[in-house]
Each structure stands twice: as structure tokens, then as C-alpha cells.
Amino acid sequence: MNPGLPSPNGRPSDVNTVAPAPTSRRRLRVRRPRGRRQWIVSIVVLGALIALVTAVAVSRTTTPVRSRSGFIAGTAEPGGAAVQLDTTVYFPQHTPAPAVLLAHGFGGSKNDLDGQAKALARHGYVVLAYTARGFGRSGGMIHLDAPDYEVADASKLITYLASLPEVEKDKPGDPRVGVAGSSYGGGLALLTAAYDSRVDAVAADITWNSLTHALFPNAAGDSPGVFKKLWAGELFQSGTGARASAAIDATSLSAGQCGRFAPELCAAYQRAAQTGHPDAAMTALLAASSPAGVLGRIHAPTLLSQGEQDSLFPLTEADANARGIAATGTTVKVIWRAGGHDGGTTDSEIERDLYSWFDPTLRHHGKINTTFELNETGAGISSETGERVAQTLQVDSGYPAIDGHRQSTAQLTVSGPSQPVNAPAGGNPAAVTDVPGLGALAGTAATLSSLTGTSTTGLTAIPGQAAFFASAPLTDRRLIAGAPTVTFTITPTSTTDATLFLSLHDVSADGSDTLPAQLVAPLQLSGLSPGQPTTVTARLPAIVTDVAAGHRLVLSIATTDLAYQLPSDPRTYVISLAGGQAPLTLPSVDGRVVRGGNPGAWLIVGIVAVILAIALGVARSVRRRIRSAVRAELAEVPVAVTNLVKEYKDGYRAVDDVSFRVEQGQVVGLLGPNGAGKTTTLRVLMGLIAPTAGEVRVFGERIEPGAKVLARIGAFIEGPGFLPHLSGRENLRLYWAATGRPVEEADFETALGIAGLGSSIERRVKTYSHGMTQRLAIAQAMLGLPELLVLDEPTNGLDPPQIAEMREVLQSYARTGRTVIVSSHLLAEVEQTCTHVVVMHRGQLIAAGSVPEIAGAAGMQLAVTDVERATAALAAAGIASQAVPARRALEDVFLDLVGGGEA
């Protein structure tokens, strides 16, 4: 992992010599081709006209929104204790206007809704965002969206909206109002519409139908099933203020440790966490907080959007809500969107859905669109992240199974011999498919060699704990959209009950295994007879996935999953199919591909954008050439940062007046804890974000998007974005091809030597560990042996021998005359790797100099904007003035001045 490196000028170089090679540079000469003046004038004029038209749309995202904050009386707690709700009302430019009551997710506050509320206000709505009782600055306790408390609070807020002159009224005391929210807020939206007839429209996102079914799911029927202990613990800790953990130990909780949960709710959770089953009291509490029993009372048009990556509230929860609401003839639209509790969704996506729903239902602008939309996973690959991306399908006939629409299905046979499966005592070790809020951690399933002729291993099923039944290779592509069903037989050897976990895997011809959305369907059976077979028909997880031709579908029936409560006693079951095979019923839909709304509108927008970009590009190119002109005195300086400031829209200043220089042949460590501003500085250096003030120059050229000098930099910042279905070697070659530079300049063998992955370089990246991915990313950054190498936390995920090898590679790289900048939060690592160090804290420069100056006994002058704060910290550390005489003193100052956060 330490190959010899040629010098920057291309000649072989002894890595032990410190002889920086001269840096070539070219000056750009601006030449104006003849005969283009008239064309340029025409484009500029056209661009100016288009700019005037688009200025209105642009201003809608920047216009200040008037708001008013205050407390509004909520429903009193049992015993009469008053409750005040923390609220903010946002006003549109023109009033009166319809209103939107905006509710947040569990554990959040009104602050989480600020961006969405402002966007809705700019769109023409009065928006009331508030913090639910039991959270943030609002009073009261958490009753889990109970009708007598949280729902009653929402009704009081609707009454308050009716008192505002800025809100449009249907009649006195009845405002024109929609209710919207995600997760906890989505449940509140549905329940409020059921209990308050003044609600005119509903938009409920990633929420539940039945909390009992969501927290105790059962793939075999409607009776309570397997306790979803990790998610329940995650939710409970959000209300208690407990520190994050995999799950909360209910036996350690007392009445005084219930945080802001209502006592009866806290006690019910503790009992369920100990037994794994809901008692009658908990079942009643969860039923009261579930829309399932009151859907027939909802008469307001309802938008239900549910995430396809959601192990807390899966697609089946939205399906049950849609069926229940539509049964009374109420208008319903369903969207199965990318993301969910296990995956992210941008505010802009949610805002788009809210506009398209509330505009026709509240403002009567346009026709209500009830087409069913879903995101087809695996339809493409993101060029930015390398991950699979979704393609939106639209089913014009509406959501299946409502309004007379039938779900289309197909059958596929799976087969395999009878297989014994073991459940270990205490459920340990357990398979790992998903961790709340983090998505997949394991990635691949257990050994499937007996079924596919290949072998893949992982944590989603443990050998001996799962039975597998595979289909023949598919002859054509197949879209699965919904919950497949299958019938199988279970024979317990010694117990009268069984706990199982069903999942459907997509296995390619080479054995690569994908578990769609990392979802499993828990199944709990009772009333079994030892030694007697019982036939079971079960629903698999509801998924949306595209299975390619040539792939197999593999049914997995396992005995453990870390996210769920497992039996304490060991047991064995025999899993079989009738006659060794069984039909797998696969739901699907027939839809047309759309690209987020009206394709014609997007085409017009695209044309306008292209023309405008050309027009603005003419003016910008001249300005850029002037600003980017190489400064002769810095032409040989790899990096010069001058008075750099980066401040975000919310006022947070990530980088505050930072200046330093990096010379050729140095290995410079950008040192500081999370939140110091290191990554932000590197992102400006790479032209990924624009500075608020100041500048960064590389070899004398100012850095901005598209700067030619960026071709002289190799970088690894915030993830490499590899394509998971390609091998490591293929990813490196594809990356280099995208640069447009000749293949012979890549020096692949040097990069592969740096990666040190051996034969694994030929494996698919999706099978790599984090450390292997990190090493491949560093090799990618070194392709072409750039003159400046920029690495963000390069040793993350590497073991000690690999860290030592990487340290030698970076030092050798710099000895050829090239320059290396690495960020780190480890002082010892920087000391061993770097020749120079720049220390940052809370966006400010604390110290800069050579490693001996910083870590040794030599003095070091601090450059800190807040001199008084620095002097006080130094004095507290027993250091006179701003001189730092030794490593220990700097560590004291570092610990005193530096805190946590994210850059």
C-alpha cells in the first residue's frame, strides 16, 4: 500500500527526497469570436425578459414572512392543571386566506415546521404551527394524540384561527382550514378531522392506522403480534428525555422516570416492554389514539402519503386508512413516496404535495387529483450518490381496492425442501435487518448457495435460523407494489406458539442479495400442537421494488430479528411447503411514468431555464474570468484562504474570518472537533458551496464552481458516491472516464496499490465494509496523482495497521512536491501524520503552524477573533497572555474552547 509515486511533472521521483517540482500554469486569454456580438445582445435581451417573468417565482422563496408567536390555552390536564401551547402564526401577503394547522412529529417542536410554514405562507395560506403538549415549551403531558387531550387542543387552535380576521371563514366560528402533519402530526391530522367537522382538508404523512397493529404487527391476522421493541423504546426515550440507546430497559423505570408521558401511558409501556404483549389497558389506550376506529367520521378530502422505507408505519397503515375513509364516499388520494421513518424526504417534496392538495380543496384552484402515485425503486442510479433512485409512477384510475378499482396480481412459484429452523434461547444471536431511523445496517442475507448456486452472507438472517424457498429465474422484469402473500406449513417440535419473521429477497444471478427496504413481516401464532403441522397464510412486507429479468425471488422465514421481542426459551420449528412448492401472490400496478407533476410544465420550465442560463452565462463568464484571474504572487501556493466567512440563512456562521496558507510539499492537518467548521472550509475549497465573504485561491486561481484549477485537486469529502452494483475497479474507471481525461493519465495501478484491497477490488462495492469503502475512496481521490489532495477524515473506518499504511502514503505523496490537506478531530493522529496543523473551533482559527510548534515546546501565537474569550480561557488554563508553550497547554486550551456539533 505504499507504491512509488511519480512527481507532479510526470518524471519518476524518489519518494524520500523533498524536492517540490515546479508547477506549470496557464493563463486564460479572453477572445471574442467575430460575428457573435449581435447574437450575444439578443440572448441577453431575451434573458432579461425571462428574468422579469421568473422574478415573481424567485421572490416567493425569499420574501420575508410576517409571523406572530405566543401561547394559547390548551385542554387542562386531569385535576385541572392549565396547559399552554407554544404557537407561531405565519401570515401570507394577501388576506383573508385559508388556514393550515401544522403539527410536528413525535419528539419535535414547532421549530421543526418553520421552513414548511413559511413556504405555505408564501404560497398564500395563514399557517399556525405549534408545539404539541408534552414537548418543548408547551405545557402538559404526552397522551399520544388522545381525543381528550391532543385532539381537543387542535380543536381549540382551530377556534383560535376562526377569531383571526386574516383567516377566511366558511361561516362564523368556522374557518376554512386544512390540517397537516407527518408521523405523530399525521395521526393528529386524521383524528382532528374525525372529531372536528370544521376541518375542510387533511394531509397526513407517514402515519398510522392502528397503533396496536403498528407496534405489535402480525402477518397472520389482525390480533396483536410481535412487540416492535426497538421502535417503541426509541419513541419512549423521545418523551422521557433519556439518552439514546437501542432500547429502554423498562424494569429500570419508575414513575419518576417517565419524563412527560402521562402516568397511565408510561405504566402501560413498562408492562408491555416486560411481557412483550399489550394488556387490556394498553390496548384501550392505543385504540383511542388510532384513526382506525373513527375513519368513518372523516368527511374532509384526505391526502395520505406513506414512505416506502418505513419499518415503523409501513405502507399497510396507509392502505387501511385509505380503505376506511373511502368507504364513506370521502375523496382520498394516496401517494407512496420514497423515504419514510427509515429514509429521508426533502421539505420541498412534502410542500409540493401540500400545494397540490390544499390548492383545490381549500382555495378551489384547479381540480382535485386523486391519481395514485408511487415511487418505483431501482428505476435508475443517482450520479451523485451511486444509490438507486426512484421513478414516479402514476395510476390514473386511482388507488387500488377503493372506488371499485382492483389490485392486479400475478403468481410465481417458490420451492424448496422442508427445513428445520432454530430459535436460540433469549433470541441471541439475532438477525439484524433494520435499526430505527438508521435504515439498513446489514445489507445482505444469509447463505443462499443451496438455492441459487452462489453464496452471499450477512446479518439479515443467521444460518440455522432461517428457511429459504426460491423461485426460478424471472423471464421478464416484474414490478412488485404491495404486500405479497404466501401459504406454508409450520411444525413446532415442543411449543404451542411460534414467532417468525417473513421477508422477500431479490437475488441476482451472481448471488447478490437485496432485501427491499430492509423490511420483515413479524408473525405470531398460538394454539399450535407440538409435532403437528399447521398451515398458515401470511402477508409479507408491503414493498415497492423492481425485480430484473434473470433474478430470483427468495422467501425467507426466520426465527429472530433484533428489532422485536423474542421468546426467551429455545425452540425448533420445521418449515415446509405443500408438495415442496407454493404460489407466491405478487401485487402490482399498471401506471405511467411521470417526473414530478405535469411533464409539459416541466418541459417549459426546462426550456426557460436553459435560455436563461445561456443569457446569464454570458455575463457571468466575463465576471468569472476577471475574478478568477491568477494572482501571480500566489501561483506557486497550493492553497491561500483569506478572510473566509460562511454564514447560512438561519444566521449560523460555520466559518468566521479564517485565513491561512498551505505551501507545496506540506501535509496539513485541519484539526478540530465536530462543529469546528472543518468540512465547511473544505467544501468551499472544492467549490461545492460559495463563501459568504472572503475567498479561497488554489495555485493563485479563485475557487468557484467550474474553476479550471479544480482539475488539479483530488478530493474525498462527505462520502464517495460509489455505484453499489459495480466493482471497485469499475467504479474507479467510470469515475476517471467522467473526468474526460486520457486513460493513460489515471495511473490506475498506483491507485489500486494505495487501496490495498487485493482481489476484493473485483467485488461489487455493495459488499464492501466501511473501511474498504474508505480506502477505495482515497484511491479514487489519488487517480491522476493530483497536485493537491484534500481528504475529509480519511482514516475513519480503518484499523490501526491500515491507518499506519495510510499515514506513510500521505507523507510519501507530499515528499514528491505535492500537497495534502486532511481534516481530523484526533490531535494524536494529526501529530503523527502531518507536517503542519490548522486548529479550528466554532468556525474560528485558533492556531496555525508546524506540528513541532503546536505539539512541542516551542511558543505558538493564537489568532482568535474573540480575544477576550481566548484570553480568559488561556488564563483559566494557567497560560500567560496568548502564548502556548507546550503540547499539554494547547490541549488544555483545546478542551476548554472546543465543544460538540456538526460542521
Side-chain angles (χ1 to χ4, degrees):
M1 191 173 163
N2 183 20
L5 303 174
S7 61
N9 60 15
R11 295 190 297 271
S13 171
D14 183 349
V15 297
N16 295 314
T17 62
V18 185
T23 305
S24 63
R25 58 186 170 92
R26 296 177 295 173
R27 292 183 179 272
L28 296 176
R29 298 180 59 189
V30 180
R31 299 179 59 189
R32 179 173 298 185
R34 296 178 181 178
R36 298 179 63 186
R37 179 172 306 202
Q38 185 175 0
W39 177 82
I40 291 174
V41 171
S42 301
I43 290 296
V44 170
V45 171
L46 179 59
L49 293 174
I50 295 174
L52 289 174
V53 174
T54 58
V56 175
V58 174
S59 67
R60 295 177 69 176
T61 64
T62 58
T63 302
V65 173
R66 181 171 63 91
S67 63
R68 182 172 67 233
S69 298
F71 287 87
I72 297 174
T75 305
E77 286 289 335
V83 172
Q84 294 291 315
L85 303 174
D86 185 15
T87 69
T88 298
V89 183
Y90 302 79
F91 297 98
Q93 188 174 5
H94 302 289
T95 59
V100 174
L101 181 63
L102 210 52
H104 61 77
F106 197 84
S109 73
K110 68 173 187 177
N111 296 334
D112 302 332
L113 306 171
D114 182 70
Q116 195 175 118
K118 287 179 177 176
L120 284 166
R122 292 190 182 102
H123 196 72
Y125 294 97
V126 176
V127 182
L128 195 163
Y130 73 105
T131 300
R133 65 167 56 222
F135 297 103
R137 297 172 61 201
S138 288
M141 308 192 79
I142 301 168
H143 296 268
L144 211 61
D145 279 353
D148 292 338
Y149 298 99
E150 285 86 356
V151 178
D153 289 342
S155 287
K156 285 180 174 290
L157 296 176
I158 292 175
T159 299
Y160 172 76
L161 286 170
S163 71
L164 298 180
E166 294 90 348
V167 174
E168 187 176 341
K169 313 294 191 304
D170 290 328
K171 60 183 178 181
D174 185 359
R176 178 74 56 81
V177 62
V179 186
S182 294
S183 191
Y184 191 59
L188 180 82
L190 291 172
L191 288 163
T192 301
Y195 285 96
D196 194 323
S197 61
R198 294 175 296 176
V199 174
D200 298 292
V202 181
D205 181 50
I206 57 171
T207 195
W208 67 89
N209 168 260
S210 166
L211 280 176
T212 302
H213 294 162
L215 297 179
F216 299 88
N218 194 352
D222 295 329
S223 60
V226 189
F227 183 40
K228 200 176 286 182
K229 66 174 185 180
L230 287 195
W231 263 118
E234 181 77 12
L235 295 174
F236 193 80
Q237 84 173 28
S238 298
T240 60
R243 296 185 64 181
S245 61
I248 291 180
D249 181 6
T251 61
S252 67
L253 294 171
S254 64
Q257 295 174 299
C258 289
R260 300 181 69 177
F261 276 102
E264 65 276 11
L265 190 59
C266 179
Y269 165 76
Q270 293 180 45
R271 293 191 299 270
Q274 291 172 338
T275 65
H277 304 284
D279 57 20
M282 185 174 193
T283 300
L285 287 171
L286 297 181
S289 297
S290 297
V294 293
L295 294 175
R297 299 170 59 172
I298 298 177
H299 302 292
T302 301
L303 168 65
L304 299 169
S305 54
Q306 205 78 4
E308 295 172 6
Q309 290 77 43
D310 202 320
S311 56
L312 177 58
F313 302 135
L315 296 174
T316 48
E317 295 297 306
D319 178 78
N321 282 331
R323 292 168 186 261
I325 296 172
T328 63
T330 301
T331 300
V332 177
K333 178 180 175 67
V334 179
I335 297 175
W336 289 356
R337 65 171 177 79
H341 286 90
D342 296 325
T345 301
T346 64
D347 284 346
S348 61
E349 291 178 271
I350 297 176
E351 290 161 13
R352 178 201 62 200
D353 293 338
L354 292 180
Y355 299 157
S356 64
W357 190 247
F358 285 152
D359 282 357
T361 56
L362 295 180
R363 302 169 72 183
H364 305 303
H365 290 179
K367 183 180 179 181
I368 297 177
N369 176 10
T370 59
T371 58
F372 171 43
E373 297 177 17
L374 68 159
N375 283 271
E376 181 185 2
T377 59
I381 297 292
S382 168
S383 61
E384 296 181 358
T385 66
E387 300 294 330
R388 286 187 171 191
V389 293
Q391 167 178 282
T392 300
L393 292 182
Q394 191 172 89
V395 182
D396 293 330
S397 59
Y399 187 67
I402 65 174
D403 296 334
H405 307 310
R406 296 185 59 185
Q407 174 91 61
S408 60
T409 60
Q411 289 194 336
L412 186 71
T413 300
V414 293
S415 60
S418 297
Q419 301 166 52
V421 293
N422 301 309
N428 187 28
V432 181
T433 55
D434 190 88
V435 174
L438 299 180
L441 294 183
T444 57
T447 303
L448 303 177
S449 56
S450 62
L451 301 174
T452 64
T454 58
S455 176
T456 59
T457 59
L459 297 177
T460 58
I462 295 177
Q465 293 185 11
F468 299 104
F469 304 93
S471 73
L474 272 63
T475 57
D476 53 12
R477 165 187 170 275
R478 184 157 299 183
L479 172 65
I480 302 174
T485 58
V486 69
T487 299
F488 66 95
T489 298
I490 176 173
T491 305
T493 60
S494 60
T495 61
T496 60
D497 65 290
T499 298
L500 297 171
F501 301 91
L502 281 64
S503 56
L504 190 63
H505 296 246
D506 175 0
V507 181
S508 66
D510 65 1
S512 298
D513 177 17
T514 300
L515 177 58
Q518 296 301 121
L519 294 178
V520 299
L523 180 148
Q524 193 163 75
L525 301 171
S526 59
L528 305 179
S529 299
Q532 297 298 314
T534 297
T535 299
V536 180
T537 297
R539 298 186 304 269
L540 276 65
I543 55 176
V544 179
T545 190
D546 186 84
V547 185
H551 287 207
R552 300 171 185 257
L553 288 176
V554 176
L555 169 68
S556 169
I557 303 178
T559 60
T560 65
D561 192 287
L562 183 66
Y564 295 85
Q565 189 93 348
L566 302 173
S568 59
D569 59 309
R571 65 253 317 267
T572 299
Y573 318 112
V574 176
I575 308 297
S576 60
L577 305 178
Q581 62 183 23
L584 186 66
T585 302
L586 303 174
S588 188
V589 295
D590 297 318
R592 57 188 177 88
V593 177
V594 296
R595 297 284 181 180
N598 186 324
W602 282 109
L603 177 62
I604 294 173
V605 170
I607 294 173
V608 170
V610 169
I611 297 174
L612 181 58
I614 294 173
L616 295 178
V618 174
R620 286 179 177 174
S621 63
V622 176
R623 183 179 63 180
R624 180 178 297 172
R625 289 171 179 174
I626 294 173
R627 294 175 60 190
S628 301
V630 176
R631 287 177 54 181
E633 70 275 16
L634 297 176
E636 304 299 328
V637 178
V639 177
V641 179
T642 306
N643 303 125
L644 184 64
V645 174
K646 179 57 182 179
E647 184 173 304
Y648 292 96
K649 292 181 179 179
D650 60 2
Y652 174 65
R653 182 163 288 201
V655 179
D656 188 4
D657 197 22
V658 169
S659 298
F660 63 88
R661 279 172 56 147
V662 177
E663 303 294 342
Q664 288 189 3
Q666 293 180 346
V667 180
V668 177
L670 200 55
L671 179 64
N674 292 335
K678 307 184 303 296
T679 299
T680 301
T681 301
L682 295 184
R683 293 182 71 198
V684 175
L685 169 60
M686 290 304 303
L688 299 175
I689 58 175
T692 305
E695 66 174 10
V696 176
R697 287 186 178 266
V698 173
F699 296 112
E701 184 176 338
R702 182 187 177 103
I703 291 296
E704 54 190 7
K708 292 185 179 296
V709 76
L710 291 172
R712 298 166 70 178
I713 306 176
F716 166 39
I717 298 177
E718 295 186 335
F722 293 126
L723 299 180
H725 64 295
L726 298 182
S727 69
R729 183 188 297 274
E730 290 168 336
N731 267 282
L732 293 183
R733 293 193 178 280
L734 183 62
Y735 167 81
W736 188 257
T739 69
R741 298 165 64 185
V743 175
E744 56 271 17
E745 293 182 7
D747 207 335
F748 282 109
E749 295 310 312
T750 299
L752 294 177
I754 292 170
L757 292 170
S759 60
S760 296
I761 195 69
E762 310 299 342
R763 283 170 43 198
R764 295 188 178 196
V765 170
K766 66 188 294 184
T767 67
Y768 281 16
S769 67
H770 176 70
M772 295 167 68
T773 304
Q774 194 85 346
R775 288 153 62 191
L776 184 65
I778 294 169
Q780 177 176 284
M782 289 185 176
L783 284 177
L785 304 181
E787 297 166 71
L788 175 61
L789 191 63
V790 179
L791 306 175
D792 190 15
E793 301 278 3
T795 59
N796 276 358
L798 303 185
D799 55 36
Q802 294 166 347
I803 291 174
E805 292 176 353
M806 182 56 58
R807 185 182 303 132
E808 175 58 27
V809 166
L810 298 180
Q811 292 169 344
S812 300
Y813 200 85
R815 285 196 290 267
T816 67
R818 296 174 177 86
T819 304
V820 180
I821 299 177
V822 297
S823 72
S824 178
H825 60 276
L826 302 174
L827 181 58
E829 182 59 34
V830 168
E831 181 181 1
Q832 295 179 67
T833 303
C834 302
T835 61
H836 292 73
V837 61
V838 174
V839 182
M840 293 184 67
H841 162 58
R842 294 182 183 174
Q844 296 181 329
L845 181 68
I846 298 297
S850 68
V851 168
E853 288 175 324
I854 297 296
M860 184 62 218
Q861 297 297 317
L862 295 179
V864 186
T865 300
D866 190 347
V867 177
E868 292 182 0
R869 179 172 61 84
T871 303
L874 290 164
I879 304 170
S881 183
Q882 294 182 15
V884 182
R887 169 197 169 113
R888 182 56 190 167
L890 180 60
E891 288 179 336
D892 289 340
V893 175
F894 193 80
L895 290 173
D896 198 41
L897 292 182
V898 176
E902 290 298 331

